[in-house]
Every structure is written in structure tokens, then in C-alpha cells.
Amino acid sequence: MDKDFTSANLFNTGSNKDGASNSISNNNVNSNSNINSNGNNNSDNNCTMYWANLHTHCSLCDGKGEPVDYVHEAIKSRVKILGFSCHASLPFYTGWTMTGEKQKEYLEVVSNLKKHYEKTGSDGIRIKLGLEIDYIPGISGSNMRECKGKMQIDYSIGSVHFIGGYSPGRLVPVDSQEEDLLRGIKTYFGNNTRKAVEEYYMVLQEMIGIGGFDILGHLDLIKKNNKGSLLFSEGEKWYRDIVDNTLSLISRSGLILEVNTGGMARKYFDTTYPSPWILEKCLKLNIPIVLSSDAHQPSHVAAFFPETAKMLKYIGFKELFTLGEKGWEPCRFTPGGICL
Ligand SMILES: [Zn+2]
Ligand SMILES: [Zn+2]
């Protein structure tokens, strides 16, 4: 057992108000410098280890870098399966989703890139065409099976980024600036944070119930503006109960849950979505997981993967799911990579 990840510092019990921030501390993450992020020094029964990342945002939505820049960085970082998942267009303007026109261009650009690398076999990289699609009640994400076929994408990530009034102009972004969320909580939830957090999970539960997505994105995104338990404590019973109910639905849905390192890469906080204590529950419920970085710039294509893989091993996970040539498959992994 590695002393960097003791139960004391990895799994907070939620018994104190700041418990949630006890997860993977910066010290833990930085102390893992012995792990070669290229994975070169790691092998598992003669299997060469690579990474897979199906959650990236290039310059065609709100990320930096052209798709091809991601490919080059992925090859350098030993990411063998690279998925593009720009934010799908919505029937209203946002600064971060694609317009309908841009989405057409995106589907074409990534399809061409995919074909190019299939043909050349260059560096063994495999490109996957995906989309991160918002679930907004009555507005978006309720007919995914039909959508997926029409757009001929390889996979979809279902995410909830909005709560509030569920009509354009009345939506509250949960992962935007803190002041936007606080204003929304005041306007639509009578300043009652618990109501807003419960609403977030209710929308997520609705999305899980409707189905059609492959991956559930950043399960506890609502914590993004909760640094230092500013808004709520992850240790409170009502919070744990609603997370439990959501996990129970996921375990019966066939959805794959992502372990997302984006908050760490972008320095919002020092733990994954979802928090390690939630991942511990996922393991008990046999919920399949994928590792992704939600990269918004090429250099984040495998950000914090070795450290997070180490944490997942510590929790007890034996397999990470990836999208292979024959569909979704479980693969063994080590802190050096995935056996692909
Ligand atoms: Zn997202
Ligand atoms: Zn994303």
C-alpha cells in the first residue's frame, strides 16, 4: 500500500465542514513524481501501456488548439485512443457550445482526421468522434439514440451544465463563475443552496432515466464553485443520500461514469469529478468507469492520469473502460497506463 494514499487523506468521511477538500491533496499529487507520465517505465505482464482520453475540447468549441495539435500531443503523451467531444450546439447562444454551422464543420474535420489516421496507421493512434451534449429538460438531450445515429458519432457524453428556469435566458450555469451561480441560487431557489444542489442531481437523474448517452460527464460538477465547502458540505446526509440515489440509478442504466481530471488540470481544486468517496461507492456498485481529462488545451490531454490511476488502484478498481475497435471494453491498468 502506498503511503501517499492513506485512507486518512484520500477518503474524507464528511464529518467536518471542510471534509470534502481532504481528497487528493496537492502534496499527494506532487509527491508522485516517480511516476513516468509517458508510461515508458510501466508494464503489466508484458503489455505496453497507453492512455485513452475521450473528453477533449478543441478550438472548434471553447478549447485552445486545432484538432491536429491534440493528435500530436496525444502521440507524445502515449494517448493511443483520442476522442474529440466538443460541446454540441444548443437552440440558443452560449459562449462555449458550437453553433449549428460550426458543429457541421466539427463533424467533418474530426471524421477526416479519423479516416486519415486509420489509413496511415501513423503512430498507432485511434481517433474517435464524440460530442459532449447538454441535458436540459425540455430543451436538449432527450432523444440521444436518434441523434447519435443521425450524426454518426462514435459516442456521446451526457452532461448537466444548467439548472434554473429551463428556458433560454433563465438557465443558471453550474460551472461558470461563482457569482453567476450565487445569483441563480438567489433568483430561482430563494437563496436555498441545498435546493439548487438537489435540483442539479434531479436533472442528472432525469437524464439517466431517459438514457441514450454512453458516458456520464463530471458527475458532481456542482462542486466546482464549492471550494472550501463554501456552499455545502459533501459530508451532509442529504448530499450523500442524493448521490447514493443517483449512483443506484447509474448502476442499473448501462452508463459508463467518467473519472474526470479537468478540475485538477485547470487548478480549480485538487481532486477528481467525482470525489474519491463517491468512486469508492461506484466500485461497490460495479459501475464501469473511464478516465478522461476534459482537456481544453492540448497539453492537458493526459493531465493527472498517472496520479488518478494510482488513486483508482488504491480504491480497488481493476479495470478502466475504453472504446476499442469492437466497442466498449474493460482493460487492465496501472499508474503507467492502460493495457490496450
Ligand atoms: Zn462538461
Ligand atoms: Zn467537457
Side-chain angles (χ1 to χ4, degrees):
M1 185 178 296
D2 194 297
K3 67 178 182 216
D4 288 337
F5 292 121
T6 61
S7 56
N9 66 14
L10 184 57
F11 308 112
N12 83 83
T13 60
S15 56
N16 63 50
K17 194 170 183 305
D18 297 324
S21 60
N22 284 345
S23 305
I24 309 172
S25 73
N26 278 326
N27 282 344
N28 287 338
V29 168
N30 294 335
S31 69
N32 287 327
S33 55
N34 59 320
I35 299 170
N36 180 344
S37 63
N38 290 329
N40 290 333
N41 294 337
N42 292 281
S43 62
D44 176 8
N45 294 335
N46 297 323
C47 180
T48 313
M49 309 308 265
Y50 295 96
W51 294 112
N53 183 7
L54 296 173
H55 197 155
T56 65
H57 299 279
C58 63
S59 55
L60 290 161
C61 59
D62 62 340
K64 289 181 188 144
E66 302 290 317
V68 73
D69 299 330
Y70 271 88
V71 176
H72 293 153
E73 192 63 39
I75 292 167
K76 265 201 265 171
S77 307
R78 296 182 66 77
V79 173
K80 194 176 181 180
I81 299 173
L82 173 66
F84 288 90
S85 60
C86 265
H87 293 287
S89 67
L90 287 169
F92 54 88
Y93 174 80
T94 77
W96 44 275
T97 52
M98 293 181 284
T99 60
E101 272 307 299
K102 193 53 102 179
Q103 185 164 304
K104 274 188 208 154
E105 182 189 338
Y106 165 80
L107 295 172
E108 202 180 312
V109 166
V110 179
S111 294
N112 288 339
L113 205 58
K114 182 178 158 176
K115 280 184 210 140
H116 170 76
Y117 280 93
E118 266 166 15
K119 225 188 269 171
T120 61
S122 178
D123 301 293
I125 192 162
R126 286 286 171 263
I127 310 290
K128 303 286 177 189
L129 172 58
L131 279 171
E132 181 177 11
I133 298 173
D134 275 86
Y135 179 73
I136 308 173
I139 297 180
S140 164
S142 56
N143 59 344
M144 274 317 298
R145 285 177 189 87
E146 194 189 321
C147 259
K148 208 177 147 189
K150 247 193 223 164
M151 293 186 286
Q152 297 195 302
I153 53 175
D154 297 316
Y155 69 97
S156 60
I157 302 173
S159 296
V160 172
H161 297 111
F162 292 110
I163 52 174
Y166 306 118
S167 59
R170 292 168 53 84
L171 291 160
V172 180
V174 298
D175 67 338
S176 185
Q177 305 299 314
E178 188 185 317
E179 51 270 26
D180 293 337
L181 180 64
L182 293 178
R183 201 180 312 119
I185 292 174
K186 193 173 173 193
T187 308
Y188 297 104
F189 301 96
N191 246 344
N192 186 329
T193 301
R194 175 175 165 177
K195 264 194 193 165
V197 174
E198 286 178 335
E199 174 75 7
Y200 169 79
Y201 280 102
M202 293 307 286
V203 177
L204 210 53
Q205 290 181 13
E206 198 176 290
M207 178 183 95
I208 297 162
I210 291 172
F213 290 102
D214 298 294
I215 297 173
L216 192 153
H218 40 60
L219 174 85
D220 55 354
L221 182 67
I222 192 74
K223 78 179 176 193
K224 181 170 166 182
N225 283 302
N226 192 38
K227 211 169 181 177
S229 302
L230 177 76
L231 299 172
F232 61 95
S233 164
E234 291 188 39
E236 287 180 53
K237 188 180 178 303
W238 65 265
Y239 186 77
R240 296 212 162 211
D241 284 349
I242 199 148
V243 168
D244 280 345
N245 292 340
T246 309
L247 294 183
S248 163
L249 286 175
I250 296 169
S251 70
R252 288 179 266 128
S253 70
L255 269 166
I256 300 171
L257 187 81
E258 75 165 357
V259 180
N260 179 319
T261 62
M264 292 150 83
R266 292 197 268 174
K267 297 190 169 58
Y268 294 128
F269 40 69
D270 51 14
T271 190
T272 48
Y273 298 113
S275 296
W277 67 268
I278 299 177
L279 287 167
E280 212 185 8
K281 287 171 180 279
C282 292
L283 178 69
K284 285 188 188 134
L285 290 166
N286 281 321
I287 293 173
I289 55 166
V290 290
L291 179 58
S292 67
S293 75
D294 206 344
H296 282 68
Q297 60 189 69
S299 62
H300 288 170
V301 76
F304 292 94
F305 277 9
E307 297 84 351
T308 304
K310 189 173 185 182
M311 182 264 283
L312 292 170
K313 292 294 277 186
Y314 177 82
I315 290 173
F317 283 97
K318 301 265 189 297
E319 289 162 339
L320 284 170
F321 274 70
T322 59
L323 186 52
E325 298 310 299
K326 293 178 197 142
W328 295 101
E329 48 193 35
C331 300
R332 298 195 317 276
F333 71 101
T334 72
I338 305 171
C339 180
L340 292 173

